[in-house]
Amino acid sequence: MATSLANTTVPFIARQSHRHIYNKPRLKYSFSARNSQYRSLITGRKPTSCKVLTKTNTNGYLAPANKVFELKNEEEKEEDDIIIEEEHKEHLANRWSEIHGGDDWEGMLDPMDSLLRSELIRYGEFAQACYDAFDHDSYSKYCGSCLYTPRNFFKSLGMTGFGYSVTRYLYATTHAPGLSNFFKKSKWGKVWSENSNWMGYVAVSNDETSKHLGRRDITIAWRGTVTKLEWVADLKDILRPIQPYNIPSPDPTVKVQAGFLGVYTDKDENCPYGQYSAREQIVTEIQRLTKMYSNENLSITVTGHSMGAALAILSAYDIAETGLNLLDDGRAIPVCVYSFSGPRVGNSRFKERLEVVGVKVLRVVNVHDVVPMAPGFLVNEHSALLIRKYMPLFIRKLIEWLPWSYSHVGEELALDHKHSPFLNDTWDPTDSHNLEVHLHLLDGYHGKNKTFELASKRDHALVNKASNFLKEEHLVPPNWRQDANKGMARNKEGRWIQPDRLKLGDHHHKKHGLNGDHH
């Protein structure tokens, strides 16, 4: 896709949708920052006036189209515009292993560790970027693809301050039943891909950011469901052994939900973007990057929301079980998953094997969200405790073999949207499931039974980006993020058309070493 198209089809309001900051105590007012929350701090000032939220100002907050935020004076602007928070960066560089789950986040969730909170929000925004960049409009001939090229991905979303570069896009196809609501298709007759969807990306931190992080970070971000939750109801509670899917495991009883396995391993040789499975794309890219940076301290961080959270856990397990995180000098690269509102993925054997190979998982959930309760509504890790306590051994063994016996993995951070004074009291399941809501709740969470207070003053308007969850008093319009003119543009003859995208993204398999022979 051409860069010029990104500049015409997506308005400025959509690009500055992630920004937030971390306050210094000496500041009285704080605005959202365009750059990464851990790298810079913007000194905020009181706005002179505000009418309607129609575009984004330079600080990242929604602001009126016909008004600007006036500064006290230009000298103050130059002096206080960007203040690098050196202390924060030094703490992150020294504590990254702990933040990455080295001690299973013991003592960090209650009370909430401020540095962990900031990193959870940061990786949550990597997952949110998958939604903001996804073309889900069925009237677009490029429906199901990414709106931006890999080179301009973070720039187009206003995320250049994060200090990462996309190294590969991920695509998937599936023949699994019950997932038709997950994959988006265009109404056009001739489309970019018949059976594939853009599923996310692999990115790596640049030199400067790696210095601040204390290591070179390889991040994998998976796309989840865009709007509806029908896929949860359609999801079949069928567990399949992973070995027949070419995912190595010494334990043949390790099983994963069939639909997730399908998305991760299916391919369509007749489709240019589906010739190689998502798994094959992940394997070759992780091999390439770990070899490229083998002389540095590395981490592999996988994130995703909704079904993307399930794929994050499955791919992280695959990386560790396959040994892709093992370097030639004997070092093991830490593998961590930050999961947001994810469903159960596999059985208890999968959970045990995940722990054996050393994958750390921190699951962020909203207690009112139904997705983390599925699949395995009846037989899960909670009922397993009662079964072990009261049932004889042969019944316990029988239940373990049931095709709908699931277990959550890792550690859980449970949030409650009813604790936020910004949100309506609603029973809409899509609101409870919304990723921006989870990031809002994270920012206000300080521990169990503690007052909800936004720690970084993250812009609460982001909650209504794709929902109507904020209270009316905040005067933020619902579902405010949208592409300008639905992607339509005038041609030389003055007619409104959908412009062609010159390039959807680099998917040359030979360049990435894909030969379909990965185990």
Side-chain angles (χ1 to χ4, degrees):
M1 169 183 169
T3 305
S4 59
L5 182 59
N7 291 332
T8 56
T9 58
V10 180
F12 192 60
I13 182 175
R15 301 204 187 149
Q16 310 300 326
S17 56
H18 294 80
R19 310 291 62 80
H20 67 282
I21 63 165
Y22 289 82
N23 293 329
K24 276 189 174 181
R26 66 180 179 86
L27 299 179
K28 186 175 181 180
Y29 304 104
S30 299
F31 289 167
S32 297
R34 295 176 66 184
N35 288 337
S36 168
Q37 64 269 26
Y38 68 93
R39 292 186 56 200
S40 62
L41 184 69
I42 300 297
T43 301
R45 299 163 182 84
K46 276 187 175 180
T48 56
S49 63
C50 182
K51 287 187 177 180
V52 257
L53 301 172
T54 55
K55 66 185 294 186
T56 308
N57 67 8
T58 57
N59 287 325
Y61 258 113
L62 294 174
N66 60 342
K67 289 285 184 179
V68 296
F69 285 88
E70 298 178 1
L71 305 180
K72 293 181 179 178
N73 54 65
E74 289 302 317
E75 291 182 0
E76 182 181 6
K77 177 183 178 182
E78 293 178 1
E79 178 182 357
D80 293 333
D81 196 20
I82 296 180
I83 303 172
I84 303 298
E85 189 62 83
E86 295 293 344
E87 182 180 0
H88 183 93
K89 292 187 295 187
E90 290 175 4
H91 284 174
L92 182 55
N94 294 331
R95 295 183 56 204
W96 76 265
S97 180
E98 179 187 6
I99 300 297
H100 214 245
D103 296 321
D104 296 311
W105 300 283
E106 184 176 356
M108 301 181 70
L109 304 181
D110 189 21
M112 186 68 194
D113 183 276
S114 61
L115 194 55
L116 175 59
R117 180 198 296 113
S118 71
E119 287 296 273
L120 283 172
I121 293 175
R122 185 169 72 92
Y123 283 104
E125 290 183 336
F126 280 126
Q128 179 63 42
C130 292
Y131 290 123
D132 294 341
F134 184 63
D135 188 344
H136 58 84
D137 185 359
S138 61
Y139 286 94
S140 166
K141 67 178 77 173
Y142 300 103
C143 178
S145 71
C146 181
L147 290 165
Y148 315 112
T149 61
R151 177 174 294 182
N152 295 311
F153 182 81
F154 289 121
K155 181 180 179 181
S156 299
L157 292 168
M159 297 175 67
T160 54
F162 276 55
Y164 282 69
S165 297
V166 171
T167 65
R168 182 177 182 82
Y169 276 171
L170 302 174
Y171 297 87
T173 186
T174 187
H175 311 294
L179 292 178
S180 58
N181 289 296
F182 181 68
F183 280 80
K184 295 292 181 178
K185 289 190 176 183
S186 174
K187 294 180 180 292
W188 286 64
K190 185 178 180 180
V191 294
W192 70 280
S193 177
E194 289 290 340
N195 301 311
S196 295
N197 266 199
W198 180 74
M199 292 300 302
Y201 58 92
V202 182
V204 64
S205 57
N206 62 26
D207 292 345
E208 181 183 359
T209 298
S210 297
K211 180 181 177 181
H212 301 329
L213 294 175
R215 85 281 188 190
R216 180 83 61 178
D217 183 45
I218 300 170
T219 292
I220 303 170
W222 288 96
R223 177 180 68 82
T225 46
V226 179
T227 50
K228 298 179 181 180
L229 298 181
E230 285 93 339
W231 68 272
V232 179
D234 294 340
L235 204 61
K236 306 301 181 185
D237 286 355
I238 300 174
L239 288 161
R240 300 290 190 199
I242 65 172
Q243 284 184 343
Y245 292 83
N246 292 327
I247 301 176
S249 174
D251 186 351
T253 64
V254 171
K255 298 179 181 180
V256 167
Q257 199 278 332
F260 304 152
L261 279 172
V263 174
Y264 188 58
T265 63
D266 281 353
K267 53 187 175 182
D268 184 349
E269 295 182 356
N270 297 320
C271 176
Y273 289 84
Q275 290 179 359
Y276 298 92
S277 67
R279 176 182 187 267
E280 290 171 335
Q281 297 165 50
I282 288 285
V283 167
T284 53
E285 187 64 6
I286 294 301
Q287 285 177 333
R288 187 180 73 86
L289 292 175
T290 54
K291 183 177 180 180
M292 179 183 298
Y293 300 110
S294 60
N295 61 337
E296 301 182 27
N297 288 328
L298 293 170
S299 65
I300 298 174
T301 313
V302 196
T303 188
H305 169 257
S306 192
M307 186 181 287
L311 295 171
I313 291 173
L314 178 56
S315 58
Y317 166 77
D318 188 18
I319 289 169
E321 188 71 273
T322 308
L324 298 176
N325 64 323
L326 300 180
L327 300 176
D328 292 339
D329 59 10
R331 288 181 296 150
I333 303 170
V335 181
C336 170
V337 177
Y338 294 125
S339 157
F340 297 88
S341 188
R344 296 183 179 93
V345 179
N347 62 357
S348 60
R349 295 293 188 182
F350 175 76
K351 173 183 182 295
E352 293 166 4
R353 190 62 198 167
L354 193 78
E355 295 170 352
V356 169
V357 297
V359 175
K360 305 296 182 178
V361 180
L362 180 55
R363 297 181 297 103
V364 180
V365 302
N366 179 358
V367 296
H368 303 286
D369 184 12
V370 298
V371 172
M373 304 176 189
F377 284 102
L378 297 178
V379 185
N380 52 55
E381 68 281 357
H382 301 301
S383 59
L385 294 176
L386 297 175
I387 292 170
R388 290 193 190 101
K389 186 175 181 180
Y390 297 108
M391 295 293 180
L393 179 61
F394 77 94
I395 294 182
R396 297 203 302 265
K397 292 294 184 181
L398 177 63
I399 291 176
E400 284 184 2
W401 281 93
L402 291 176
W404 54 84
S405 178
Y406 285 81
S407 178
H408 266 310
V409 301
E411 305 298 322
E412 181 178 276
L413 175 58
L415 308 174
D416 188 339
H417 71 245
K418 293 188 176 182
H419 292 169
S420 171
F422 293 86
L423 305 179
N424 287 314
D425 188 8
T426 178
W427 292 100
D428 188 336
T430 58
D431 286 341
S432 302
H433 187 59
N434 187 291
L435 178 54
E436 285 288 4
V437 172
H438 282 70
L439 302 184
H440 168 74
L441 297 178
L442 267 174
D443 196 27
Y445 178 79
H446 296 267
K448 295 178 181 178
N449 303 318
K450 294 186 181 295
T451 302
F452 186 96
E453 182 179 357
L454 296 179
S456 72
K457 309 303 179 193
R458 189 173 192 274
D459 196 344
H460 58 269
L462 295 172
V463 170
N464 267 17
K465 182 195 295 185
S467 73
N468 187 19
F469 208 174
L470 285 174
K471 290 181 178 178
E472 188 74 18
E473 64 195 61
H474 298 292
L475 301 178
V476 178
N479 303 293
W480 54 258
R481 188 186 191 277
Q482 53 187 303
D483 295 341
N485 301 320
K486 295 285 187 177
M488 300 290 285
R490 273 184 172 174
N491 64 10
K492 294 180 180 179
E493 289 75 31
R495 293 184 177 276
W496 287 91
I497 63 169
Q498 284 194 30
D500 290 329
R501 296 179 192 168
L502 298 182
K503 194 177 183 182
L504 285 173
D506 191 358
H507 202 61
H508 298 297
H509 306 298
K510 291 183 179 179
K511 175 181 177 181
H512 289 280
L514 285 169
N515 55 21
D517 192 27
H518 301 285
H519 303 289

